[in-house]
Amino acid sequence: MEQVIDILSWAFLIAGGVFCVIGTIGLIRMPDMFTRLHGASVVDTLGMGFLIVGMILQAGFTLVAAKLIIIAALILLTTPVATHALAQAALHAGIRPKLDHDETGGHIAGEDASSNS
Amino acid sequence: MMYFVAMVAVLVSLGLALTRALLGPTMFDRVLAGNTIGTLAVLALALIGFVTGRPEFLDIAILYTLLNLVGTIAVLRYFKLSESAVPAAPEE
């Protein structure tokens, strides 16, 4: 039983670490700010989730596990808020997503054409 | 041992996110990288708590999670306000 939990915990911790590295590689390699948000969200959901689950398996049914669950819930609640505010602020400041072929002519729906820069 | 492997992965990710924060062409890239660094720091703190066998680090991690959100929103708000020093439509 002990060994099963250890092996599961190894798997979760390694998966979490791999997803953290993948997310931050995306943060480096993606072409513009709005696609980099996707790389950051991999770290915030899968990387964080797998690492926390791996640590909870090691902690067992204790106060430490409760604190880890609180941390996971807080991260899952707060990072979407921060990401949304960030994307909203970037659009507000006039940054436009990089498009392969621009069907709207640089025009974002619900905005007047004079604000394009 | 397994915590050290996860710790190395988190530290490598921290380095990559820091690179983006230093490179970032716009201010928003830097804020995004700062947000990611905050999440990774929380994970690193939790792992340090397990490595050293001191669960008190988890309390610091909880606090840092909340500060991360407040810090990001505050920075965005600050830049928005300093921008609208130029006469513009009043904010609702």
Side-chain angles (χ1 to χ4, degrees):
Chain A
M1 193 60 203
E2 189 107 337
Q3 283 204 322
V4 174
I5 287 182
D6 267 356
I7 291 170
L8 267 179
S9 179
W10 260 106
F12 274 114
L13 285 173
I14 287 177
V18 166
F19 273 115
C20 280
V21 175
I22 287 174
T24 43
I25 287 175
L27 205 62
I28 296 278
R29 299 268 308 163
M30 290 287 191
D32 75 334
M33 187 246 147
F34 294 98
T35 45
R36 280 175 204 139
L37 290 172
H38 297 89
S41 69
V42 171
V43 179
D44 290 339
T45 53
L46 280 176
M48 180 279 294
F50 277 127
L51 281 177
I52 296 264
V53 168
M55 284 187 269
I56 285 175
L57 283 179
Q58 282 293 309
F61 196 70
T62 54
L63 182 65
V64 172
K67 281 178 186 170
L68 284 170
I69 290 173
I70 290 175
I71 292 176
L74 281 177
I75 291 182
L76 282 179
L77 283 176
T78 55
T79 49
V81 177
T83 306
H84 179 81
L86 194 62
Q88 193 82 26
L91 267 181
H92 186 78
I95 296 176
R96 290 291 169 263
K98 215 182 246 178
L99 298 178
D100 197 16
H101 59 286
D102 199 347
E103 287 167 356
T104 63
H107 181 75
I108 302 274
E111 220 174 73
D112 59 315
S114 63
S115 68
N116 287 328
S117 52
Chain B
M1 179 59 199
M2 65 178 115
Y3 301 123
F4 283 106
V5 176
M7 196 66 173
V8 168
V10 169
L11 287 179
V12 168
S13 315
L14 265 173
L16 290 172
L18 194 63
T19 315
R20 174 48 71 195
L22 293 175
L23 288 179
T26 66
M27 182 271 288
F28 300 103
D29 290 298
R30 295 179 211 275
V31 175
L32 176 63
N35 199 13
T36 307
I37 287 174
T39 306
L40 288 169
V42 168
L43 292 174
L45 274 172
L47 284 170
I48 286 175
F50 274 86
V51 168
T52 59
R54 294 173 65 188
E56 295 86 11
F57 278 99
L58 289 173
D59 299 328
I60 306 175
I62 292 175
L63 183 69
Y64 206 83
T65 313
L66 293 170
L67 276 181
N68 194 19
L69 172 76
V70 175
T72 306
I73 300 289
V75 169
L76 289 174
R77 191 82 188 140
Y78 171 75
F79 276 97
K80 199 175 170 188
L81 285 181
S82 65
E83 229 176 39
S84 61
V86 189
E91 290 184 24
E92 55 267 81

